[in-house]
Amino acid sequence: MPLTAVATDLHTGQEIWLQQGNLQDAVSASCSIPGLLSAKSLSGRWLVDGAVVNPVPVDVCRAMGATRVIAVDVTEDGAPLMDRQQGQVKAVVSENADEPTETDDDYAAEADSGDHTAISLGRWLEQGKEQLSQFPGFRGKSRAVSPGMFDTMSQAMDILERRHKRTRMMGSPPDVLVMPKVGSIGGLEFSRAAEAVDAGEAEARRVRTWIEDMIRNG
């Protein structure tokens, strides 16, 4: 079965299509998320996640000869950390400057930018807090806090990726777009994989008629 893994050249920003060679190396390079996984050295290039330049590579499928493309987008249903509203342009008013803010000690685990282990630990601690907040005894006790370093970087990349993806897909749209409702599942919440699979199946069933019509008319 033909396969193309999309990666990004870290130095030139060029979109790289990996179509032959070692499958493990190709997949590793294609999913090397900047800031989370190290870049992959391959054929004299340092490669990172292909989503940096082509989040939903519909055009790659067309170039491979596909006449019908079913694309899956798991980023558009994003649920920001504080469930904030997402808009193209939104005016805001600064809050009272006298309002108490978080102390430096609150994010000591993430403050050391030179220690990747500390950042990862801080992220896992935040996830633990989110899990605890689901229990009745902890509900209603949360308060607005500033996002940590990892959350800020991740959210900023998500925003850039979504905007870039929309531009790319306007020029090369898929025949059917499947968008599972997985915005509430974090990228590191592997324990919720089954929940993500169920969401994907539910969305596929929802657009089943469109898929069948596309196949029937194709």
Side-chain angles (χ1 to χ4, degrees):
M1 177 181 295
L3 170 69
T4 297
V6 181
T8 304
D9 188 309
L10 187 59
H11 295 300
T12 67
Q14 182 181 3
E15 181 176 338
I16 306 296
W17 294 3
L18 304 171
Q19 298 177 311
Q20 55 184 326
N22 185 278
L23 177 60
Q24 182 176 348
D25 288 341
V27 173
S28 178
S30 181
C31 65
S32 294
I33 304 174
L36 181 61
L37 300 175
S38 300
K40 178 71 175 180
S41 177
L42 195 62
S43 300
R45 300 172 182 265
W46 285 103
L47 304 178
V48 295
D49 192 353
V52 173
V53 292
N54 199 349
V56 185
V58 177
D59 55 334
V60 177
C61 295
R62 302 286 189 197
M64 293 176 65
T67 57
R68 294 290 183 269
V69 177
I70 300 174
V72 179
D73 181 7
V74 297
T75 63
E76 196 62 36
D77 184 47
L81 297 176
M82 300 306 296
D83 293 328
R84 70 174 184 274
Q85 295 181 351
Q86 295 191 26
Q88 295 300 316
V89 179
K90 184 175 178 61
V92 298
V93 178
S94 59
E95 298 179 355
N96 191 337
D98 296 330
E99 184 176 331
T101 58
E102 295 296 309
T103 64
D104 293 340
D105 293 337
D106 291 332
Y107 285 93
E110 294 184 5
D112 186 359
S113 59
D115 189 347
H116 177 75
T117 303
I119 296 175
S120 299
L121 177 60
R123 177 56 180 164
W124 286 115
L125 289 174
E126 287 299 315
Q127 288 188 345
K129 292 178 182 178
E130 293 174 5
Q131 293 294 330
L132 287 174
S133 67
Q134 302 302 315
F135 291 95
F138 289 88
R139 291 176 181 171
K141 297 183 179 181
S142 61
R143 57 194 178 109
V145 296
S146 60
M149 181 187 304
F150 185 92
D151 289 326
T152 299
M153 178 179 66
S154 176
Q155 193 66 23
M157 288 184 61
D158 286 344
I159 293 172
L160 290 171
E161 180 179 322
R162 283 197 293 270
R163 288 179 175 267
H164 182 49
K165 173 198 62 187
R166 292 168 188 167
T167 302
R168 293 291 298 253
M169 291 181 66
M170 285 178 63
S172 182
D175 295 281
V176 177
L177 180 60
V178 182
M179 299 173 59
K181 302 299 184 290
V182 292
S184 63
I185 302 177
L188 297 177
E189 294 183 286
F190 304 114
S191 61
R192 301 179 65 184
E195 184 179 343
V197 171
D198 290 342
E201 181 178 351
E203 184 64 11
R205 290 182 181 278
R206 189 183 73 82
V207 300
R208 177 178 177 178
T209 301
W210 297 350
I211 296 175
E212 292 176 341
D213 287 344
M214 178 195 68
I215 296 174
R216 189 179 304 111
N217 298 328

mmCIF file of all heavy atoms in Angstrom, residues 7-14 16 29 32 38-49:
data_model
loop_
_atom_site.group_PDB
_atom_site.id
_atom_site.type_symbol
_atom_site.label_atom_id
_atom_site.label_comp_id
_atom_site.label_asym_id
_atom_site.label_seq_id
_atom_site.Cartn_x
_atom_site.Cartn_y
_atom_site.Cartn_z
ATOM 1 N N ALA A 7 6.915 15.512 6.566
ATOM 2 C CA ALA A 7 7.768 16.076 7.611
ATOM 3 C C ALA A 7 8.176 17.487 7.191
ATOM 4 O O ALA A 7 7.904 17.926 6.071
ATOM 5 C CB ALA A 7 8.996 15.194 7.831
ATOM 6 N N THR A 8 8.833 18.203 8.090
ATOM 7 C CA THR A 8 9.277 19.568 7.832
ATOM 8 C C THR A 8 10.775 19.677 8.064
ATOM 9 O O THR A 8 11.276 19.246 9.105
ATOM 10 C CB THR A 8 8.554 20.567 8.761
ATOM 11 O OG1 THR A 8 7.137 20.425 8.606
ATOM 12 C CG2 THR A 8 8.962 21.994 8.436
ATOM 13 N N ASP A 9 11.491 20.239 7.097
ATOM 14 C CA ASP A 9 12.917 20.480 7.267
ATOM 15 C C ASP A 9 13.089 21.632 8.252
ATOM 16 O O ASP A 9 12.631 22.751 7.999
ATOM 17 C CB ASP A 9 13.553 20.837 5.915
ATOM 18 C CG ASP A 9 15.075 20.918 5.992
ATOM 19 O OD1 ASP A 9 15.592 21.614 6.892
ATOM 20 O OD2 ASP A 9 15.751 20.297 5.151
ATOM 21 N N LEU A 10 13.722 21.356 9.373
ATOM 22 C CA LEU A 10 13.818 22.336 10.452
ATOM 23 C C LEU A 10 14.609 23.567 10.052
ATOM 24 O O LEU A 10 14.367 24.669 10.560
ATOM 25 C CB LEU A 10 14.465 21.674 11.683
ATOM 26 C CG LEU A 10 14.495 22.484 12.973
ATOM 27 C CD1 LEU A 10 13.087 22.855 13.415
ATOM 28 C CD2 LEU A 10 15.201 21.698 14.079
ATOM 29 N N HIS A 11 15.555 23.434 9.133
ATOM 30 C CA HIS A 11 16.417 24.554 8.763
ATOM 31 C C HIS A 11 15.850 25.383 7.615
ATOM 32 O O HIS A 11 15.958 26.605 7.625
ATOM 33 C CB HIS A 11 17.808 24.043 8.386
ATOM 34 C CG HIS A 11 18.550 23.415 9.540
ATOM 35 N ND1 HIS A 11 18.866 24.106 10.687
ATOM 36 C CD2 HIS A 11 19.025 22.161 9.722
ATOM 37 C CE1 HIS A 11 19.509 23.313 11.528
ATOM 38 N NE2 HIS A 11 19.613 22.124 10.962
ATOM 39 N N THR A 12 15.237 24.730 6.641
ATOM 40 C CA THR A 12 14.740 25.458 5.467
ATOM 41 C C THR A 12 13.236 25.705 5.493
ATOM 42 O O THR A 12 12.736 26.548 4.747
ATOM 43 C CB THR A 12 15.078 24.685 4.177
ATOM 44 O OG1 THR A 12 14.326 23.454 4.148
ATOM 45 C CG2 THR A 12 16.570 24.360 4.109
ATOM 46 N N GLY A 13 12.510 24.954 6.324
ATOM 47 C CA GLY A 13 11.058 25.073 6.351
ATOM 48 C C GLY A 13 10.387 24.358 5.200
ATOM 49 O O GLY A 13 9.176 24.471 5.015
ATOM 50 N N GLN A 14 11.167 23.604 4.436
ATOM 51 C CA GLN A 14 10.626 22.901 3.271
ATOM 52 C C GLN A 14 9.776 21.714 3.687
ATOM 53 O O GLN A 14 10.063 21.022 4.659
ATOM 54 C CB GLN A 14 11.789 22.422 2.386
ATOM 55 C CG GLN A 14 11.361 21.720 1.108
ATOM 56 C CD GLN A 14 12.560 21.251 0.289
ATOM 57 O OE1 GLN A 14 13.706 21.406 0.705
ATOM 58 N NE2 GLN A 14 12.287 20.678 -0.874
ATOM 59 N N ILE A 16 8.689 18.055 3.324
ATOM 60 C CA ILE A 16 9.380 16.862 2.859
ATOM 61 C C ILE A 16 8.395 15.695 2.812
ATOM 62 O O ILE A 16 7.712 15.410 3.791
ATOM 63 C CB ILE A 16 10.569 16.493 3.793
ATOM 64 C CG1 ILE A 16 11.507 17.695 3.951
ATOM 65 C CG2 ILE A 16 11.305 15.287 3.251
ATOM 66 C CD1 ILE A 16 12.174 18.127 2.674
ATOM 67 N N ALA A 29 10.005 10.812 12.069
ATOM 68 C CA ALA A 29 10.255 12.182 11.618
ATOM 69 C C ALA A 29 8.953 12.952 11.466
ATOM 70 O O ALA A 29 8.858 14.126 11.828
ATOM 71 C CB ALA A 29 11.014 12.162 10.297
ATOM 72 N N SER A 32 7.541 14.170 14.981
ATOM 73 C CA SER A 32 8.454 14.789 15.953
ATOM 74 C C SER A 32 7.944 16.190 16.286
ATOM 75 O O SER A 32 8.350 17.191 15.685
ATOM 76 C CB SER A 32 9.876 14.850 15.382
ATOM 77 O OG SER A 32 10.414 13.558 15.218
ATOM 78 N N SER A 38 12.420 15.316 20.018
ATOM 79 C CA SER A 38 13.612 15.795 19.326
ATOM 80 C C SER A 38 13.442 15.640 17.816
ATOM 81 O O SER A 38 12.746 14.744 17.335
ATOM 82 C CB SER A 38 14.846 15.006 19.783
ATOM 83 O OG SER A 38 15.055 15.154 21.164
ATOM 84 N N ALA A 39 14.092 16.535 17.068
ATOM 85 C CA ALA A 39 14.075 16.446 15.612
ATOM 86 C C ALA A 39 14.754 15.150 15.179
ATOM 87 O O ALA A 39 15.650 14.639 15.853
ATOM 88 C CB ALA A 39 14.781 17.652 15.001
ATOM 89 N N LYS A 40 14.323 14.601 14.056
ATOM 90 C CA LYS A 40 14.844 13.344 13.535
ATOM 91 C C LYS A 40 15.843 13.625 12.422
ATOM 92 O O LYS A 40 15.532 14.330 11.455
ATOM 93 C CB LYS A 40 13.690 12.493 12.995
ATOM 94 C CG LYS A 40 14.110 11.165 12.378
ATOM 95 C CD LYS A 40 14.576 10.183 13.426
ATOM 96 C CE LYS A 40 14.879 8.824 12.821
ATOM 97 N NZ LYS A 40 15.340 7.845 13.820
ATOM 98 N N SER A 41 17.045 13.078 12.547
ATOM 99 C CA SER A 41 18.056 13.233 11.517
ATOM 100 C C SER A 41 17.847 12.159 10.451
ATOM 101 O O SER A 41 17.886 10.968 10.739
ATOM 102 C CB SER A 41 19.458 13.093 12.127
ATOM 103 O OG SER A 41 20.449 13.182 11.123
ATOM 104 N N LEU A 42 17.599 12.616 9.217
ATOM 105 C CA LEU A 42 17.317 11.677 8.137
ATOM 106 C C LEU A 42 17.804 12.251 6.814
ATOM 107 O O LEU A 42 17.449 13.372 6.443
ATOM 108 C CB LEU A 42 15.806 11.405 8.071
ATOM 109 C CG LEU A 42 15.330 10.194 7.265
ATOM 110 C CD1 LEU A 42 15.891 8.903 7.857
ATOM 111 C CD2 LEU A 42 13.800 10.132 7.253
ATOM 112 N N SER A 43 18.651 11.494 6.138
ATOM 113 C CA SER A 43 19.180 11.896 4.825
ATOM 114 C C SER A 43 19.809 13.283 4.847
ATOM 115 O O SER A 43 19.623 14.096 3.924
ATOM 116 C CB SER A 43 18.064 11.844 3.769
ATOM 117 O OG SER A 43 17.530 10.542 3.659
ATOM 118 N N GLY A 44 20.545 13.565 5.909
ATOM 119 C CA GLY A 44 21.246 14.840 5.992
ATOM 120 C C GLY A 44 20.371 16.015 6.381
ATOM 121 O O GLY A 44 20.810 17.169 6.310
ATOM 122 N N ARG A 45 19.143 15.752 6.791
ATOM 123 C CA ARG A 45 18.223 16.815 7.205
ATOM 124 C C ARG A 45 17.764 16.569 8.641
ATOM 125 O O ARG A 45 17.680 15.427 9.087
ATOM 126 C CB ARG A 45 16.981 16.875 6.302
ATOM 127 C CG ARG A 45 17.244 17.134 4.823
ATOM 128 C CD ARG A 45 15.945 16.975 4.046
ATOM 129 N NE ARG A 45 16.087 17.157 2.617
ATOM 130 C CZ ARG A 45 15.867 18.296 1.978
ATOM 131 N NH1 ARG A 45 15.494 19.363 2.664
ATOM 132 N NH2 ARG A 45 16.013 18.376 0.673
ATOM 133 N N TRP A 46 17.434 17.650 9.321
ATOM 134 C CA TRP A 46 16.780 17.539 10.626
ATOM 135 C C TRP A 46 15.293 17.783 10.395
ATOM 136 O O TRP A 46 14.893 18.876 9.978
ATOM 137 C CB TRP A 46 17.359 18.552 11.613
ATOM 138 C CG TRP A 46 18.715 18.179 12.114
ATOM 139 C CD1 TRP A 46 19.916 18.702 11.729
ATOM 140 C CD2 TRP A 46 19.010 17.176 13.093
ATOM 141 N NE1 TRP A 46 20.953 18.086 12.399
ATOM 142 C CE2 TRP A 46 20.428 17.153 13.250
ATOM 143 C CE3 TRP A 46 18.237 16.299 13.848
ATOM 144 C CZ2 TRP A 46 21.075 16.281 14.128
ATOM 145 C CZ3 TRP A 46 18.878 15.431 14.732
ATOM 146 C CH2 TRP A 46 20.264 15.428 14.869
ATOM 147 N N LEU A 47 14.495 16.751 10.651
ATOM 148 C CA LEU A 47 13.073 16.805 10.333
ATOM 149 C C LEU A 47 12.202 16.848 11.586
ATOM 150 O O LEU A 47 12.509 16.201 12.587
ATOM 151 C CB LEU A 47 12.683 15.591 9.487
ATOM 152 C CG LEU A 47 13.475 15.391 8.183
ATOM 153 C CD1 LEU A 47 13.011 14.124 7.475
ATOM 154 C CD2 LEU A 47 13.350 16.600 7.276
ATOM 155 N N VAL A 48 11.101 17.592 11.501
ATOM 156 C CA VAL A 48 10.121 17.663 12.587
ATOM 157 C C VAL A 48 8.732 17.415 11.995
ATOM 158 O O VAL A 48 8.571 17.175 10.799
ATOM 159 C CB VAL A 48 10.161 19.030 13.314
ATOM 160 C CG1 VAL A 48 11.490 19.223 14.014
ATOM 161 C CG2 VAL A 48 9.904 20.174 12.335
ATOM 162 N N ASP A 49 7.730 17.502 12.853
ATOM 163 C CA ASP A 49 6.339 17.216 12.499
ATOM 164 C C ASP A 49 5.901 17.906 11.202
ATOM 165 O O ASP A 49 6.073 19.119 11.039
ATOM 166 C CB ASP A 49 5.457 17.680 13.655
ATOM 167 C CG ASP A 49 4.031 17.181 13.545
ATOM 168 O OD1 ASP A 49 3.683 16.590 12.509
ATOM 169 O OD2 ASP A 49 3.268 17.373 14.512
#
